[in-house]
């Protein structure tokens, strides 16, 4: 049995992804584990690269088309 995600972690992850340009319509389709995974990755990315990296992650997981 998997441990449930703390709601505050999921909310913070969503906030981070919105801050760095994730479209709301796309973010609603992203699973909670992916939101947290993406937010952790973004936190480790340099500030100027965060938006580009987020779009790359969304494309890699099939949430958006690659451009």
């Amino acid at each position: 049995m998997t441990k449930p995600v703390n709601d505050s972690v999921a909310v913070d992850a969503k906030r981070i992804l919105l801050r760095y340009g994730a479209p709301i319509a796309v973010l609603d389709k992203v699973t909670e584990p992916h939101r947290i995974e993406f937010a952790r990755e973004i936190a480790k990315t340099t500030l100027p690269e965060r938006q580009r990296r987020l779009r790359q992650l969304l494309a890699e997981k099939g949430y958006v088309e690659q451009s």
Side-chain angles (χ1 to χ4, degrees):
M1 179 178 241
T2 61
K3 186 177 178 182
V5 177
N6 183 325
D7 285 342
S8 67
V9 172
V11 169
D12 287 345
K14 187 173 184 177
R15 227 178 256 139
I16 288 168
L17 299 179
L18 286 169
R19 179 178 298 141
Y20 292 105
I24 293 172
V26 171
L27 197 52
D28 287 341
K29 297 175 187 173
V30 177
T31 65
E32 220 170 65
H34 277 157
R35 286 181 191 173
I36 293 166
E37 175 187 336
F38 296 167
R40 287 179 177 160
E41 178 69 24
I42 294 306
K44 294 186 276 183
T45 304
T46 61
L47 188 60
E49 295 294 318
R50 288 181 180 178
Q51 187 173 23
R52 185 190 64 74
R53 181 65 180 136
L54 175 56
R55 293 194 183 275
Q56 184 180 37
L57 289 168
L58 290 168
E60 286 173 4
K61 296 293 184 181
Y63 292 109
V64 296
E65 291 185 25
Q66 290 197 354
S67 49

